Amino acid sequence: MKASLDGSNQSGEKMAAMDELPLVLVHALPPFEISFKGRLQSRFQLIDSLDSTFAPHVSVLLCVGPSPVSSDTLRHLPSLQCIVGSSAGVDHIDLAECRRRGITVTNAGPSFCEDGADFAIGLLIDVLRRISAADRYVRAGLWPMKGDYPLGSKLGGKRVGIVGLGNIGSEIAKRLVAFGCRIAYNSRNKKSSVSFPYYANICNLAANSDILIICCALTKETHHLINKDVMTALGKEGVIINVGRGALINEKELVQCLEQGQIRGAGLDVFENEPDVPKELFELENVVLSPHKAIATPESFASLQELIVGNLEAFFSNKPLLSPVNLE
Amino acid sequence: MKASLDGSNQSGEKMAAMDELPLVLVHALPPFEISFKGRLQSRFQLIDSLDSTFAPHVSVLLCVGPSPVSSDTLRHLPSLQCIVGSSAGVDHIDLAECRRRGITVTNAGPSFCEDGADFAIGLLIDVLRRISAADRYVRAGLWPMKGDYPLGSKLGGKRVGIVGLGNIGSEIAKRLVAFGCRIAYNSRNKKSSVSFPYYANICNLAANSDILIICCALTKETHHLINKDVMTALGKEGVIINVGRGALINEKELVQCLEQGQIRGAGLDVFENEPDVPKELFELENVVLSPHKAIATPESFASLQELIVGNLEAFFSNKPLLSPVNLE
């Protein structure tokens, strides 16, 4: 070990400096892991186990991916004040317990909302205009043999009901306005800053929409929010896009409605029992299936690193968090 | 045959009235046909053959689909003043001969531009975010077996070069602004009404773009406009979307560039020898293939009927045509 020019013991100093770094418990259950540990370690003292002797003193937990944070997990952390999340949805965290204990939660919404919105629009155009289905048709060599592929339907002028006008929903609305769509929305509460028509009742929104785009949080209240009644209200020409969570839709009833033509089609990035997808969907021409990747691009992961570091630094310097989740 | 109450011969009157309807020659070579003949016949006297004795007196030709209008066709029509087209592109019409003879030409651009733009955006998101490829992955049951599908790339922030800022190109630009893209364009001339950067040279545009969207007219000057030099300038991360005409791209060089990774991917609605598509493309994961259907939906065909009738009525009442093509 080299001594420094002035003779001090660098290693000892470094250890002392580390001790002064703020404590952060990294909660990453397999297969989730953190890709930028080095960067975090230069600013925070990372702990990776609930059994650490430091755990009772930890005020911040960094939750990687959808690693479950149960009330049991929280019981190990009596000093916890904040959970910094790295996913857009936070249904893997016991939010009721957080609310009870006054623990704040942040999510990754701002990093992922643009990608999520882009993907929702991509799925929507794909379903309406039959892009993936037509791609299969061309690749199978059917164009010269069978002639023109059936036409799809125009996006412009369609009435789009956005279920959940949060980070992603707002970005979806912004894009669809440029396509000439008519927007309405459903959410827990009417938003005073928004001029789009608000429907407190999801069936009423469906009855007045050609398309439903699902991008709300999964909670006890929104579990199976989209059921057969909603799909019946949407009608035979209706299209559903889901970039939220699989369990927002009653998947069994969705499959039935798609098979029986009770709705026109669906673009699904999420499913109730991922990675398992109902096999009945594999044979349908009126669906586009995606393996839960709406929100993710390398660019959004880079943005997420900034957001996580920003939230941690804001917490430790008593500044407003960058992406707090509304727990009310 | 019934006589009317006042004793006049209705049939004779009807024929006399028809004689007074303006003459329109319908030019529809198989397999193209007109779907709203009844509606037209109530306002115009339709002729369907160049050999008709009326042909020398015809001032308007209604060209259905891409039915070729050669200089030989035009020679049969010495009184022709206007060709009302029903397609967005007019490369099937001998425009040089029209220019020489002072024949005006209209196209269907305004009816189809929104659908064309929507489809271009759909293809672009599909290629960037790998929607069709991921749909194949899920349908093949690979998600539970092989795990996460590789990430695509973010649309926001990308530099998009639009080749041809006409009806469709302008609608594409409007949409991409809402996605946070940076737009530039190439066209015959700089447009004074547009603030996007203009590149007179297509290679310069490609070198300064992440994505090229091709939606210009096919002319002698634009044939094979997108060649290997342009693709090399676009670079290994570059994406090409073509909703114009197949022959705007040197297809052989495109296939090579895609196979060898000299560009990243392509979304192609049009091909040089439709309905034949180069078989090499069928095996590639980085392309989305569509059977020339970008501009077509039932809604746009309804809009087209209005446009065609509007152009014919404008011509016969000496009003400005609704969608004249610039022949300069």
Side-chain angles (χ1 to χ4, degrees):
Chain A
M1 187 185 294
K2 280 187 186 175
S4 69
L5 286 176
D6 67 4
S8 68
N9 181 333
Q10 277 196 327
S11 177
E13 274 183 14
K14 195 175 171 193
M15 284 186 69
M18 269 191 66
D19 285 345
E20 287 162 23
L21 292 177
L23 276 179
V24 172
L25 176 63
V26 177
H27 183 61
L29 298 191
F32 307 106
E33 53 185 51
I34 195 151
S35 62
F36 59 113
K37 214 167 184 172
R39 182 174 171 197
L40 288 174
Q41 280 173 323
S42 68
R43 307 194 196 192
F44 309 102
Q45 186 177 357
L46 302 187
I47 302 164
D48 60 6
S49 167
L50 289 173
D51 300 326
S52 160
T53 53
F54 290 108
H57 310 293
V58 159
S59 57
V60 178
L61 178 143
L62 168 55
C63 180
V64 180
S67 303
V69 180
S70 64
S71 59
D72 193 52
T73 308
L74 295 172
R75 208 170 299 132
H76 286 76
L77 305 168
S79 307
L80 196 67
Q81 296 175 46
C82 178
I83 298 175
V84 172
S86 66
S87 56
V90 287
D91 51 287
H92 54 290
I93 299 173
D94 188 332
L95 298 180
E97 181 66 8
C98 289
R99 191 163 42 224
R100 196 186 66 74
R101 283 182 46 186
I103 298 169
T104 56
V105 176
T106 71
N107 71 358
S111 295
F112 289 138
C113 60
E114 294 182 350
D115 280 342
D118 292 352
F119 205 85
I121 305 292
L123 284 176
L124 175 55
I125 300 178
D126 196 325
V127 172
L128 281 182
R129 304 295 303 277
R130 306 184 181 186
I131 295 181
S132 291
D135 177 84
R136 280 196 294 278
Y137 186 81
V138 173
R139 282 174 193 261
L142 295 174
W143 190 11
M145 292 162 59
K146 293 194 168 186
D148 284 347
Y149 191 76
L151 292 180
S153 183
K154 188 182 175 84
L155 177 54
K158 288 281 187 300
R159 300 167 303 164
V160 181
I162 299 179
V163 181
L165 202 66
N167 287 309
I168 293 179
S170 301
E171 291 289 333
I172 290 172
K174 186 173 115 187
R175 285 154 179 73
L176 286 178
V177 166
F179 285 87
C181 294
R182 291 145 60 192
I183 311 291
Y185 72 104
N186 166 263
S187 62
R188 274 170 296 190
N189 302 300
K190 189 175 189 311
K191 296 180 189 289
S192 57
S193 59
V194 167
S195 62
F196 304 126
Y198 169 70
Y199 288 85
N201 180 288
I202 186 74
C203 273
N204 287 348
L205 178 67
N208 288 284
S209 297
D210 304 303
I211 294 154
L212 285 184
I213 302 185
I214 322 298
C215 50
C216 60
L218 176 63
T219 64
K220 274 181 193 166
E221 291 73 32
T222 61
H223 184 265
H224 283 195
L225 175 68
I226 310 298
N227 57 22
K228 193 174 174 187
D229 290 343
V230 177
M231 290 184 257
T232 304
L234 183 62
K236 286 182 190 298
E237 291 302 314
V239 167
I240 290 178
I241 304 297
N242 190 4
V243 293
R245 285 283 183 273
L248 292 165
I249 305 185
N250 183 321
E251 199 168 72
K252 205 174 155 188
E253 293 179 356
L254 173 67
V255 169
Q256 284 174 353
C257 285
L258 285 165
E259 285 183 318
Q260 297 167 6
Q262 292 171 287
I263 64 170
R264 180 198 181 116
L268 306 170
D269 184 54
V270 285
F271 303 88
E272 278 206 72
N273 302 299
E274 297 171 7
D276 290 324
V277 175
K279 295 215 171 1
E280 300 92 325
L281 295 176
F282 294 177
E283 301 305 318
L284 295 182
E285 286 292 293
N286 56 343
V287 297
V288 182
L289 309 172
S290 166
H292 199 151
K293 59 194 279 292
I295 55 162
T297 63
E299 292 89 340
S300 62
F301 278 123
S303 156
L304 174 63
Q305 289 190 20
E306 302 303 321
L307 183 69
I308 287 174
V309 171
N311 271 315
L312 291 171
E313 292 188 339
F315 174 82
F316 287 115
S317 55
N318 286 315
K319 289 185 180 159
L321 296 168
L322 303 183
S323 56
V325 173
N326 178 5
L327 297 183
E328 296 313 307
Chain B
M1 188 185 293
K2 280 187 187 173
S4 67
L5 286 176
D6 66 4
S8 69
N9 180 332
Q10 276 197 327
S11 178
E13 274 184 11
K14 197 175 169 193
M15 283 186 68
M18 269 192 66
D19 285 346
E20 287 161 23
L21 291 177
L23 276 180
V24 172
L25 175 65
V26 178
H27 182 62
L29 298 191
F32 307 106
E33 54 186 51
I34 195 152
S35 61
F36 60 113
K37 214 168 185 172
R39 182 173 171 196
L40 289 174
Q41 280 173 325
S42 68
R43 309 196 194 191
F44 308 102
Q45 187 178 355
L46 302 186
I47 302 164
D48 60 6
S49 166
L50 288 174
D51 299 326
S52 159
T53 53
F54 290 108
H57 310 293
V58 158
S59 56
V60 177
L61 177 143
L62 168 54
C63 180
V64 180
S67 303
V69 180
S70 64
S71 59
D72 193 51
T73 308
L74 295 171
R75 207 170 299 133
H76 286 77
L77 305 166
S79 306
L80 196 68
Q81 295 175 46
C82 179
I83 298 174
V84 171
S86 67
S87 56
V90 287
D91 49 286
H92 53 292
I93 299 173
D94 187 333
L95 298 179
E97 182 65 7
C98 289
R99 190 163 43 224
R100 197 186 64 75
R101 282 183 46 187
I103 298 168
T104 56
V105 177
T106 73
N107 71 357
S111 295
F112 289 138
C113 61
E114 293 182 349
D115 280 342
D118 292 352
F119 205 85
I121 305 292
L123 284 176
L124 175 56
I125 299 178
D126 196 326
V127 173
L128 281 182
R129 303 295 303 276
R130 305 185 182 186
I131 295 181
S132 292
D135 177 84
R136 280 197 294 278
Y137 185 80
V138 174
R139 283 174 192 260
L142 295 175
W143 190 11
M145 292 162 58
K146 292 193 167 185
D148 285 346
Y149 192 77
L151 292 179
S153 184
K154 188 183 177 82
L155 176 54
K158 289 280 188 300
R159 300 168 302 164
V160 181
I162 299 179
V163 181
L165 200 67
N167 287 309
I168 294 178
S170 301
E171 290 290 333
I172 290 172
K174 186 174 114 187
R175 286 154 178 72
L176 286 177
V177 166
F179 285 88
C181 294
R182 289 146 62 194
I183 311 291
Y185 73 103
N186 165 264
S187 62
R188 274 170 295 190
N189 301 300
K190 190 175 190 310
K191 295 181 190 288
S192 57
S193 59
V194 167
S195 61
F196 304 126
Y198 170 70
Y199 288 85
N201 180 289
I202 186 74
C203 273
N204 286 349
L205 177 67
N208 287 285
S209 297
D210 304 303
I211 294 154
L212 284 184
I213 301 185
I214 320 298
C215 49
C216 61
L218 177 63
T219 63
K220 274 181 193 166
E221 291 73 32
T222 61
H223 184 266
H224 283 195
L225 176 68
I226 310 299
N227 57 22
K228 193 172 175 188
D229 290 343
V230 176
M231 292 184 255
T232 303
L234 183 61
K236 284 182 192 299
E237 292 302 315
V239 167
I240 290 178
I241 304 297
N242 190 4
V243 293
R245 285 285 184 271
L248 290 165
I249 304 184
N250 183 322
E251 199 168 72
K252 204 173 155 188
E253 293 179 357
L254 173 66
V255 169
Q256 284 174 353
C257 285
L258 284 165
E259 286 184 318
Q260 297 167 6
Q262 291 171 289
I263 64 171
R264 180 196 181 116
L268 306 170
D269 183 54
V270 285
F271 304 88
E272 279 206 73
N273 302 300
E274 296 172 7
D276 290 324
V277 175
K279 295 212 171 1
E280 300 92 324
L281 295 176
F282 294 177
E283 302 305 317
L284 296 182
E285 286 293 292
N286 57 342
V287 297
V288 181
L289 309 172
S290 166
H292 199 150
K293 57 193 280 295
I295 54 162
T297 63
E299 292 89 340
S300 62
F301 279 123
S303 157
L304 174 62
Q305 289 189 20
E306 302 303 321
L307 183 69
I308 287 174
V309 171
N311 270 315
L312 291 171
E313 291 188 337
F315 175 81
F316 287 115
S317 56
N318 287 315
K319 288 184 179 160
L321 296 168
L322 302 183
S323 56
V325 173
N326 178 7
L327 297 183
E328 296 311 309

